[in-house]
Amino acid sequence: PIAQYENYGYFAGRMKSDKIPGSEELPRPTFQIETKLKYRILVVDDDSPVREFHTEMLSQRGYQVDNACDGDLGWKALQAKRYHLVITDNSMPKVTWVELLERIHNARLDLPAIMVTSTFPEAEFARRPWLAKIVILEKPVRGEVLVALVDKILEAAENRLG
């Protein structure tokens, strides 16, 4: 489901079923609604239907979710509140995905990120090795895949922090 994409970050491709391939090998996340409520996620996407879909899917699963329609508003939201995860589109007006993630990186925010895209921006990853930790999902993303990945990332972060 999540595979090393050459030497550039992680790539979770299109899923053709509700099941995440290989998920039977992994323990299912044990997050409960009460646990999820303590996590705040920021969804940044200029495509309104996609932004609303991601926000709704994650909200229905118990996460606190805010959203922004471009990278500039996303950055302002990140400065105003503490988030545990950012989900961003690849192509956005005003502040691009890479500019947004660069601001996060330069501000030394320990913030995992998922980029949802229809094209893999290999050149950007080659120029910025610190992007290797970004998880990439190929559009279109099934809601169940997004939620399972978010659960996995936040559970791993919680386990890492103790």
Side-chain angles (χ1 to χ4, degrees):
I2 302 172
Q4 188 71 30
Y5 186 83
E6 296 179 9
N7 290 320
Y8 311 114
Y10 292 93
F11 185 81
R14 266 192 200 107
M15 302 298 170
K16 298 197 185 300
S17 71
D18 291 338
K19 249 181 142 176
I20 299 174
S23 62
E24 55 279 348
E25 304 162 14
L26 302 171
R28 299 298 299 159
T30 56
F31 275 10
Q32 301 297 321
I33 294 294
E34 301 79 31
T35 305
K36 290 180 179 182
L37 283 172
K38 70 181 183 178
Y39 290 105
R40 182 178 298 280
I41 299 169
L42 178 62
V43 175
V44 185
D45 198 316
D46 61 319
D47 185 343
S48 182
V50 171
R51 184 177 65 248
E52 291 169 12
F53 173 71
H54 292 167
T55 299
E56 184 64 25
M57 284 299 300
L58 294 166
S59 295
Q60 285 179 359
R61 300 297 171 93
Y63 289 109
Q64 295 180 53
V65 185
D66 294 331
N67 63 57
C69 62
D70 64 51
D72 185 49
L73 292 174
W75 177 243
K76 288 175 181 171
L78 287 166
Q79 292 176 305
K81 293 181 182 174
R82 182 177 185 279
Y83 291 92
H84 299 92
L85 176 69
V86 64
I87 300 171
T88 182
D89 182 27
N90 178 359
S91 177
M92 292 185 296
K94 297 184 182 178
V95 174
T96 67
W97 72 274
V98 76
E99 292 167 336
L100 177 62
L101 294 179
E102 197 160 42
R103 289 178 183 185
I104 292 168
H105 175 75
N106 290 339
R108 301 203 188 290
L109 297 175
D110 186 19
L111 183 64
I114 298 172
M115 182 179 64
V116 181
T117 183
S118 55
T119 59
F120 182 76
E122 190 170 345
E124 296 296 345
F125 278 76
R127 280 194 293 273
R128 295 170 177 86
W130 53 267
L131 284 173
K133 65 183 178 181
I134 304 303
V135 177
I136 301 165
L137 284 176
E138 184 180 11
K139 286 182 180 179
V141 177
R142 295 183 60 90
E144 299 83 8
V145 171
L146 177 66
V147 171
L149 184 58
V150 167
D151 286 350
K152 185 175 178 180
I153 289 170
L154 292 176
E155 185 174 33
E158 184 171 283
N159 291 338
R160 183 178 45 117
L161 297 174

